[in-house]
Amino acid sequence: MLTPNQFEVELLTGLRITSEQDGLKACNTLHSAGPRKVIITSALIEDKLLLIGSYKRTEEQPPEQFKIEIPKIPAYFTGTGDLTTALLLGWSNKYPDNLEKAAELAVSSLQALLRRTVEDYKRAGFDPASSSLEIRLIQSQDEIRNPRVTCNAMKYK
């Protein structure tokens, strides 16, 4: 599995990602290099934050592709990229044949954790938009282990 963000996928493929079609093309380019599962973990396209997933069940079949629209949270966080990859890998291990479900659980976990982080900073009197926030991993263990799916995958045709 390969899990680049938008910046990383542009560097890896030499493609500029300005549309969903560009994201899908980049996934196909990465598939041709070997990985059967590719997830662009975050791409800002037309003012929407998206996860774009693509997987090949067999080498001969075209990839199945999907997206998840990720709600924007008006704050800057430290460590979200690494956590996203860890969650994707963990849920993919539990659901090896259902990348959409793994991605839904990973994104939903992350969103719950980020909302908790913002709430904790506000309760402590900090403005979450004013500086980088350290994510609340320990306090969010339940949301990580048993997330409520709030972000759903939509298949591309």
Side-chain angles (χ1 to χ4, degrees), residues 99-116:
L99 191 58
E100 290 101 330
K101 181 171 185 161
E104 288 174 342
L105 290 164
V107 171
S108 296
S109 293
L110 183 63
Q111 285 293 299
L113 188 150
L114 296 180
R115 283 191 300 273
R116 174 186 288 265

Side-chain angles (χ1 to χ4, degrees), residues 49 70-77 110-116 118 128 133:
L49 187 58
I70 304 168
K72 291 183 195 173
I73 296 175
Y76 178 77
F77 303 92
L110 183 63
Q111 285 293 299
L113 188 150
L114 296 180
R115 283 191 300 273
R116 174 186 288 265
V118 167
L133 308 181

Side-chain angles (χ1 to χ4, degrees), residues 84-111:
T84 300
T85 295
L87 291 167
L88 283 166
L89 291 172
W91 288 115
S92 292
N93 189 50
K94 185 166 184 167
Y95 300 103
D97 297 323
N98 194 339
L99 191 58
E100 290 101 330
K101 181 171 185 161
E104 288 174 342
L105 290 164
V107 171
S108 296
S109 293
L110 183 63
Q111 285 293 299

Side-chain angles (χ1 to χ4, degrees), residues 42-58:
S42 61
L44 188 58
I45 298 172
E46 298 171 5
D47 204 35
K48 291 188 290 189
L49 187 58
L50 301 175
L51 173 147
I52 298 175
S54 183
Y55 59 96
K56 296 182 80 168
R57 293 193 189 278
T58 68

Side-chain angles (χ1 to χ4, degrees), residues 84-154:
T84 300
T85 295
L87 291 167
L88 283 166
L89 291 172
W91 288 115
S92 292
N93 189 50
K94 185 166 184 167
Y95 300 103
D97 297 323
N98 194 339
L99 191 58
E100 290 101 330
K101 181 171 185 161
E104 288 174 342
L105 290 164
V107 171
S108 296
S109 293
L110 183 63
Q111 285 293 299
L113 188 150
L114 296 180
R115 283 191 300 273
R116 174 186 288 265
T117 298
V118 167
E119 290 165 11
D120 283 359
Y121 274 86
K122 284 181 179 176
R123 264 194 304 278
F126 290 98
D127 176 7
S130 67
S131 64
S132 177
L133 308 181
E134 192 67 37
I135 54 179
R136 298 292 192 237
L137 281 172
I138 302 302
Q139 299 87 338
S140 302
Q141 290 179 58
D142 291 338
E143 290 90 348
I144 293 169
R145 284 190 199 112
N146 300 300
R148 183 174 61 87
V149 174
T150 58
C151 301
N152 296 296
M154 295 173 39

